[in-house]
Amino acid sequence: MLQIRNLDSLAGSDLPWLKAKHHFALHGHDNAAHEPLGSLVVLNDDEVAPGTGFPMHGHRDMEIVTYVREGLLEHTDTTGGRGQIAAGNVQAFSAGSGIRHSETNPGSGPLKLFQIWLRPRRLGIAPRWATKPFPKAERANRWVVLASGLPGDKEAIAIEADARVLGATLTRGQSIGYEIGASRYGYLVVARGAVSVNGMRLGARDGIAAKDVSKIVVAAIDDAEVVLVDAA
């Protein structure tokens, strides 16, 4: 099954400082058909106004991966983690036994990002945070694993989840495939441009859920940037 979740079908928020779209149902008014996929429970498309952001707040027992699409994200947390994450780069943290953090936009333009939440393998672990640059040129027409809890993904940011988050940039006319293992799910979201997935067209910020699908083929209709979550 492949289920397209077009941008126009997503619920969300429209506040002076935050415009958000929810690829997965978070509240009673969200699209009930947009259910979680295994350990993948949230993928939010957020736009944060300059000089604003999420003030210090807490999480526990969740793996949270942030992919910055445009602008600059400033992160501070109670483990001592602090940094600025530029467009195309990634941060990830294990909330574990409890972490408090803030995420703000220090720039003069909008901050646009994807927030990905995954259920952890283990509860109550020590919280941790990490960030890493992933140059887009290294992702040209191929997958690069950005964050992962799967063995063998040594270059990715480590997370405590049975999942991996991948990114790719595609040149118009190019295509790449990805094999989804048995009893696993895939969710692809388009950060920029337009693609087809197994022949189904997606525009910028559209998503597609894959369940009981052994392989997806992503073909670039225009120059494109995509993020894929592979979750148990």
Side-chain angles (χ1 to χ4, degrees):
M1 180 201 78
L2 288 170
Q3 178 200 47
I4 292 179
R5 302 182 185 182
N6 294 113
L7 181 65
D8 290 345
S9 74
L10 307 179
S13 305
D14 189 359
L15 305 173
W17 68 278
L18 173 67
K19 300 184 189 310
K21 291 289 188 179
H22 305 157
H23 282 261
F24 291 81
L26 291 179
H27 309 295
H29 63 268
D30 282 0
N31 191 327
H34 295 172
E35 60 186 7
L37 293 171
S39 58
L40 175 59
V41 294
V42 169
L43 197 156
N44 285 354
D45 175 338
D46 293 342
E47 179 177 328
V48 181
T52 71
F54 300 92
M56 193 67 72
H57 62 286
H59 300 279
R60 67 184 295 129
D61 291 327
M62 192 64 68
E63 301 296 301
I64 301 178
V65 180
T66 305
Y67 182 92
V68 179
R69 294 164 31 226
E70 184 178 319
L72 188 67
L73 168 66
E74 186 163 271
H75 168 97
T76 304
D77 68 54
T78 50
T79 71
R82 184 180 185 90
Q84 291 189 335
I85 300 91
N89 296 336
V90 175
Q91 73 165 12
F93 65 85
S94 299
S97 59
I99 189 172
R100 290 178 60 79
H101 76 128
S102 66
E103 294 184 330
T104 57
N105 176 4
S108 58
L111 164 64
K112 299 178 181 180
L113 49 84
F114 294 136
Q115 294 269 19
I116 300 162
W117 293 26
L118 297 147
R119 292 193 183 100
R121 284 196 184 96
R122 297 180 294 148
L123 304 180
I125 66 172
R128 64 178 185 239
W129 169 84
T131 185
K132 185 176 179 180
F134 289 94
K136 291 184 179 181
E138 295 180 4
R139 290 181 263 151
N141 300 311
R142 71 184 189 101
W143 297 111
V144 170
V145 184
L146 308 174
S148 178
L150 303 185
D153 292 337
K154 303 299 185 184
E155 300 302 315
I157 300 175
I159 55 175
E160 187 62 40
D162 190 355
R164 61 161 60 105
V165 179
L166 308 98
T169 58
L170 294 170
T171 306
R172 180 180 179 180
Q174 297 296 308
S175 64
I176 52 175
Y178 185 82
E179 293 188 7
I180 302 171
S183 302
R184 298 188 69 84
Y185 305 92
Y187 194 82
L188 181 137
V189 62
V190 182
R192 175 178 56 86
V195 302
S196 69
V197 177
N198 292 15
M200 304 171 73
R201 191 185 192 284
L202 301 177
R205 301 167 64 200
D206 290 342
I208 189 166
K211 180 180 179 181
D212 298 324
V213 174
S214 61
K215 183 177 182 178
I216 60 171
V217 176
V218 184
I221 297 169
D222 300 315
D223 290 352
E225 180 179 350
V226 296
V227 175
L228 172 65
V229 184
D230 172 347

